[in-house]
Amino acid sequence: MALTARLHRHPRPTLAAPRLRLGLTATLGLLLVAGCSTTPRQEAQAGGKAHPAVQRAQADVARQVQQADAPGSTNANDAADARRGLIAAPSGQVCNEAGQVIWDFDAFAFLNGPAPDNAPDTVNPSLWRQARLNNQAGLFKVRDGIWQLRGFDLSNITLIQGKTGWIVVDTGTSRETSAAAMAFARQHLGAQAVSAVVYTHSHVDHFGGVLGVISADEAKARQVPIVAPAGFMEEATSENVLMGTAMARRAMYMYGSRLPAGATGLVDNGLGKAVPFGRVGILPPTLLVQQPREEHVIDGVRFVFHNVPGSEAPSEFTFALPELQAFCGAELMGHTLHNLYTLRGAKVRDALRWSGYLDDALKQVEGSEVVFTQHHWPVWGPERIRGFIEHQRDAYQFIHDQTVRGMNAGLTAPEIAETLKLPTALQQDFAVHGYYGTVKHNVKAVYQFYLGWYDANPANLDAPPPVAAAKGYVALAGGPEALRASAQKAFDAGDFRWAAELLKHAVYADPSDKAARELLARSFEQMGFLAESAPWRNVYLSGALELRDGPPTQAQSRVAFAELLQHTPIERFLEAMAASLNAEKVGDARLTINLAFSDLKESHVLRVANGVLRHEAAPPAADADATLTVTHPFFVRMVTGQVGGLGLLTSSDTKIDGSRLALGRFFGWLDKPAGTFPIVTR
Ligand SMILES: [Zn+2]
């Protein structure tokens, strides 16, 4: 998961008085388990009824799920493993300083009802099963000296007993949820100090909550080691700065951030329940693991690190704990097929490399009695560990090789995706089912990785853009009514994909066509109900919601990221600034601005010419039209939208030399996208 994913506004499905077992209020001002303000219960907008074709399909899946949980099957232990070692389970809610709920342990209580083979027909039974497994929140003993806090966040926090305190592996997404998790651990295991922090990789759900684990002052005063893989800081602080707005908007779909929790809404996210919406920070590493393999003794515990860059994350490592006979698989492995391409939009990942690292891991785990990961529950026993990793390895290689084979036979990505199925042995292992990534969209990722967007058909080289094509197709269909009738027929027959394909054109051609919007929403809904992948379900149900209610009125503010963005190199912001330059407004104008930082001894020269903004770290240029001197904290407030033009002119943190008019003109050229753009309409 990545930075922009943190959009989840977790609508409360219930206003029932929270049980108070968490009991952390005394220790943490941030956390008020009781007395959070709650938003009113939202009913899912969905028509909420499964089509008979969906009911039939769910019944088929229910039978497979029954087999999964039958004694002797690969996944028969999942339910027991997800609960194994439970010390205590939390309930209630976690709030932020403003008293808003950012995490609700009770939100998914509805999953405790029907067993997977009897799931509501609005949820794929296999996803229902995964959603129940992911709903096992608590403090768990993994092995002597290793505990995990699961279900306090999308990701897990792992505690390893060091000589003087806990070595904390990954710190959750937000300060508030991590503080709650740590307080819960202290409540049940006794108070211990944090003796080290280990980040397994550069995705925000694994470091963003560090300031809830340990304060910056304490980490500094006690010189607490903070360990991370090579390249961590650069990747962690830069991820999505450039593409942040678009990814954040798309992430709202993928993580279902506008969906109410419930059997016709949000049930899971594949990796865990949801993404908390709290404050994100970072503490820079003090020890970077640079070599492919490195051994370090951290607070008396021997770690054997293995760097696995360019797999699930650009900067990532796994590690063995030989004395504890345990292996941390980071996010290289887990109880789902992961993403080679993530639906929020991101660069595609290298399937072959990923598979290769998993093969290496088979040797690295030798001697381990348990493998624990950064999402989901652990795997115990050498034999099951081996099977678990082999299946993960082979799933990625299979998708890679068979996609390449299809490409070389002249097939296009959708053609390969339509027919490729994992071999039976892999299909029967639910740990490689597509709860997060899917075979279908991962095939397209492999195609994109090697051949890109163009499928080589000349008709697709310069095809008409969506609205023009839509208008043409609607006319060809004999007008919107005829098209809707045809779509209705497809819907009635249970062919929701074709219905959506037709209606997409009707809605693009005329967004005010309410009947088309509603039928498209109903089609998306059924596709969401059918989906085994949580992101697919969220995407479809979010599309349905937007067709009915319109796009969101507010994007996620960047203020929650301020503590992280303070560590982001200035260059990343300047690249983003250049990519927000409105070339139409600029025309042929030329302008030079000096940007100087009074507190960093750093300055940049920004030159606009030929419709591009170029930036260079250099002393102020003598020919500049204006010089803007700011402090670094002010600059971060500026890029997070906390101060605007007036603040710039009036703050004591800024100084302007030269032409204020030129400076005003320059800032006027920069787009400030609202981040609420429509997705299903034009
Ligand atoms: Zn993660």
Side-chain angles (χ1 to χ4, degrees), residues 103 136 151 191 217 251 265 291 346 443 526 568-569 572 612 639:
W103 193 257
Q136 301 294 333
D217 288 345
Q291 300 304 315
V443 162
Q526 300 302 324
T568 303
R572 299 291 86 74
V612 296
V639 297

Side-chain angles (χ1 to χ4, degrees), residues 608-649:
V608 176
N610 302 322
V612 296
L613 163 59
R614 297 194 45 76
H615 58 92
E616 185 190 4
D623 65 341
D625 295 280
T627 297
L628 171 63
T629 308
V630 293
T631 61
H632 185 231
F634 185 90
F635 180 73
V636 172
R637 289 205 299 280
M638 217 169 83
V639 297
T640 52
Q642 290 169 283
V643 288
L646 190 65
L648 196 68
L649 293 173

Side-chain angles (χ1 to χ4, degrees), residues 327 333 357-359 361-362 365 371 384-394:
F327 185 84
M333 53 190 85
Y357 288 139
L358 284 161
D359 194 46
L362 282 169
V365 294
V371 164
R384 284 173 51 213
I385 289 170
R386 194 166 182 84
F388 171 71
I389 298 174
E390 277 177 358
H391 282 182
Q392 303 257 314
R393 173 197 66 186
D394 293 347

Side-chain angles (χ1 to χ4, degrees), residues 1 154-155 201 203 205-206 271 312 331 338 374-375:
M1 205 205 70
L154 184 73
S155 56
H201 62 292
H203 289 157
D205 52 326
H206 302 272
L271 294 177
E312 187 265 335
E331 207 165 320
H338 211 295
Q374 308 325 104
H375 297 274

